[in-house]
Amino acid sequence: MPTDPHGDLRSVPRAPGRLPALGHLPSLFRDPLAFLDSLRTHGPVVRVELGTLPVYFVTTADLVREVMVAQARSVTKGRLFGRLSLLAEQSLPVMDGGEVHRRHRRLMQPLFTPARVADYAQVMGRRARELANRWTTGDHILLDHEVADLVMGTSIETMFRSSIGQRVAAGLCRDTRIISKNALLRTVCPPALERLPLIPAVRRFDAAAARMKAVVDEVVAAYRSDGADHNDLLSTLLAARDVDTGAGLSDAEVRDELVMMLLAGGETCSAATSWVFHELGRAPRTRKRLGDELDTVITTPEIGHRELERLEYTAWVVDEAQRLHSVPVLTRHTVAPLDLGGLRIPPGTELGLSLHALHHDPHTFPDPARFLPERWRIPPPRHTFVPFGAGGRKCIGDTFGRTQVLIAVATLAARWRFQPAPDHRVREVFATVPRPDRLPMVLAER
Ligand code: HEM
């Protein structure tokens, strides 16, 4: 009997609420996180229609592991990331996988060795202390902006420690902010509409991306010509050589990887740090316990490796905030048949994975919407909590990012109490990385 080219897709349940032509877009726009969370109740694989494009959402941790790890060779990154190539075509997050992706990963791994991250941690700590010292009691601040500037400043300094790097820092900070703000609209804008001047998000995004690339090109050229080791991420990347071929990355590849790291790392770390303070603002008992731990462990201004290892409760607080505010949607595209628990998925299928939904599964995380750091006393099975993804496409900056968030939280929370401004109700903005709309806070001494 001939096999059905659609595999078993016809038997997959469809999420309710679909409208002709629009599919599930109205439900997705109305309350995206609630919609993604609801999918697991319809089955382990659920069909969602984005307009007329069917996307098959995988809703259990076991099957997400199949897609990300066990059968990862049968998938590429999918639509969402495909369009990010507008920004940096030759960078890890947008590559389809295969040998080019593996070569880039091998060459970039030396940037994130434990010794390197320990070195970057000194920059992270110093900058966080400088910020904490700048504030005074009673200041009204937008904590999300302060944290974003801290993270970007730190990322740029760890990348370019030279004088030219420091000269271009402010412009890069500004452009990454413009790109992040307009990224979602830019990536979903159909190519036919791209040229319309009516779409300011597209224009702003493209102009900032062009500026950023030109600036990073200039820095790369300056490093190449002076040939010095500035003991930073860019010097390490320029020196990296493939063990088999002896070749390194081209200047354009280096530029694209740097641009993407600034964006991928900046937005994720500042959102993660901001969410911690948002949650702490509503949880006085957690705040007290965190403060007690920080007072005991941090006895000198510098937070080193030894202190980080002893900050157990702080790590629970960070994990719990990350669990509550994880990446809402990742996509994959099948290039070979996939077997999802006996369900045959043919090549050419779009898959969706929601880390947010996975981390809100009540079987793994009872009372999932509640901020409860104590739940980490008994860690869940490893593959059920994957804020950095898993397998060969796992976040390359996971340790860097985690260290950055832990140091920022520990340094700022050891010194200050952040009281949420009473007149603002924080909203979660649905984006590639969810972030608070605004985080106005009033500073009080601890
Ligand atoms: C709290 C911070 C962070 C979070 C939550 C996070 C999350 C993620 C996730 C979920 C992925 C996997 C995407 C997928 O499977 O489709 C990823 C990939 C990636 N992240 Fe991060 N990230 C963080 C920080 C960083 C930092 C600091 C950097 C760079 C310095 C970075 C660079 C990257 C890159 C280059 C990839 C693509 C890896 C590949 O495809 O080989 N991220 N990140």
Side-chain angles (χ1 to χ4, degrees), residues 77 92 101 105 265 268 322 330 332 387-388 393 395 400:
K77 289 286 284 220
L92 286 177
H101 175 260
R105 273 236 40 145
T268 46
Q322 268 202 306
L330 295 173
R332 293 291 190 267
F388 296 98
R393 307 305 297 250
C395 179
F400 181 104

Side-chain angles (χ1 to χ4, degrees), residues 136-210:
T136 45
T137 309
D139 278 355
H140 288 243
I141 58 166
L142 278 177
L143 186 59
D144 52 326
H145 285 199
E146 302 270 351
V147 162
D149 287 347
L150 169 66
V151 167
M152 276 320 292
T154 306
S155 304
I156 293 170
E157 188 178 335
T158 55
M159 254 178 211
F160 318 127
R161 271 184 180 157
S162 62
S163 52
I164 177 167
Q166 296 316 303
R167 242 189 358 260
V168 297
L172 286 176
C173 254
R174 193 195 50 230
D175 286 332
T176 44
R177 207 173 297 137
I178 297 173
I179 291 171
S180 302
K181 200 164 155 218
N182 297 293
L184 198 64
L185 267 172
R186 180 65 182 100
T187 48
V188 299
C189 179
L193 300 183
E194 273 174 14
R195 301 266 156 252
L196 288 184
L198 294 174
I199 306 179
V202 171
R203 253 193 359 255
R204 280 197 287 266
F205 178 101
D206 288 354

Side-chain angles (χ1 to χ4, degrees), residues 84 147-148 151-152 155 176-177 179-184 260-275 429 431-436:
L84 277 179
V147 162
V151 167
M152 276 320 292
S155 304
T176 44
R177 207 173 297 137
I179 291 171
S180 302
K181 200 164 155 218
N182 297 293
L184 198 64
M260 197 50 106
M261 273 193 286
L262 278 175
L263 290 162
E267 219 185 332
T268 46
C269 289
S270 51
T273 311
S274 297
W275 284 124
V429 177
T432 33
V433 182
R435 55 185 161 76

Side-chain angles (χ1 to χ4, degrees), residues 127-443:
R127 285 199 165 246
R129 283 195 303 280
E130 284 166 5
L131 176 61
N133 290 340
R134 257 203 314 275
W135 289 329
T136 45
T137 309
D139 278 355
H140 288 243
I141 58 166
L142 278 177
L143 186 59
D144 52 326
H145 285 199
E146 302 270 351
V147 162
D149 287 347
L150 169 66
V151 167
M152 276 320 292
T154 306
S155 304
I156 293 170
E157 188 178 335
T158 55
M159 254 178 211
F160 318 127
R161 271 184 180 157
S162 62
S163 52
I164 177 167
Q166 296 316 303
R167 242 189 358 260
V168 297
L172 286 176
C173 254
R174 193 195 50 230
D175 286 332
T176 44
R177 207 173 297 137
I178 297 173
I179 291 171
S180 302
K181 200 164 155 218
N182 297 293
L184 198 64
L185 267 172
R186 180 65 182 100
T187 48
V188 299
C189 179
L193 300 183
E194 273 174 14
R195 301 266 156 252
L196 288 184
L198 294 174
I199 306 179
V202 171
R203 253 193 359 255
R204 280 197 287 266
F205 178 101
D206 288 354
R211 269 195 309 268
M212 200 167 163
K213 284 174 146 186
V215 166
V216 176
D217 272 339
E218 198 189 317
V219 180
V220 173
Y223 270 54
R224 283 271 195 227
S225 77
D226 82 7
D229 180 356
H230 295 284
N231 186 28
D232 57 13
L233 226 135
L234 175 54
S235 297
T236 317
L237 192 53
L238 290 174
R241 292 287 175 272
D242 194 296
V243 278
D244 297 330
T245 64
L249 295 178
S250 71
D251 285 5
E253 288 173 321
V254 168
R255 188 255 339 266
D256 279 7
E257 290 293 8
L258 293 174
V259 166
M260 197 50 106
M261 273 193 286
L262 278 175
L263 290 162
E267 219 185 332
T268 46
C269 289
S270 51
T273 311
S274 297
W275 284 124
V276 169
F277 287 109
H278 166 65
E279 296 296 346
L280 287 174
R282 331 187 271 182
R285 266 196 297 185
T286 303
R287 215 164 49 222
K288 163 88 176 63
R289 190 165 166 194
L290 177 74
D292 290 347
E293 177 173 275
L294 294 174
D295 291 344
T296 316
V297 174
I298 302 177
T299 48
T300 59
E302 193 125 332
I303 302 180
H305 225 63
R306 220 156 36 98
E307 286 80 14
L308 284 181
E309 269 168 18
R310 290 179 58 211
L311 291 175
E312 184 188 45
Y313 190 71
T314 315
W316 292 357
V317 169
V318 168
D319 280 343
E320 182 65 348
Q322 268 202 306
R323 182 189 71 76
L324 282 175
H325 306 282
S326 301
V327 173
V329 180
L330 295 173
T331 55
R332 293 291 190 267
H333 180 83
T334 59
V335 288
L338 207 67
D339 179 338
L340 291 183
L343 187 80
R344 287 172 310 134
I345 307 281
T349 309
E350 290 293 323
L351 299 177
L353 315 165
S354 170
L355 302 186
H356 171 92
L358 195 66
H359 297 162
H360 280 72
D361 188 333
H363 299 295
T364 323
F365 302 102
D367 202 357
R370 209 167 141 214
F371 176 66
L372 198 60
E374 280 70 14
R375 70 170 88 235
W376 292 91
R377 195 189 311 280
I378 304 169
R382 250 181 69 189
H383 69 296
T384 60
F385 181 62
V386 284
F388 296 98
R393 307 305 297 250
K394 187 180 179 195
C395 179
I396 198 167
D398 57 349
T399 317
F400 181 104
R402 190 168 167 74
T403 308
Q404 164 101 299
V405 177
L406 273 171
I407 289 183
V409 167
T411 310
L412 304 181
R415 175 80 184 277
W416 294 103
R417 184 153 56 83
F418 301 92
Q419 292 172 318
D423 52 352
H424 179 68
R425 191 161 174 268
V426 174
R427 216 168 30 83
E428 180 150 13
V429 177
F430 185 72
T432 33
V433 182
R435 55 185 161 76
D437 61 337
R438 283 166 72 236
L439 220 49
M441 297 268 184
V442 184
L443 292 180

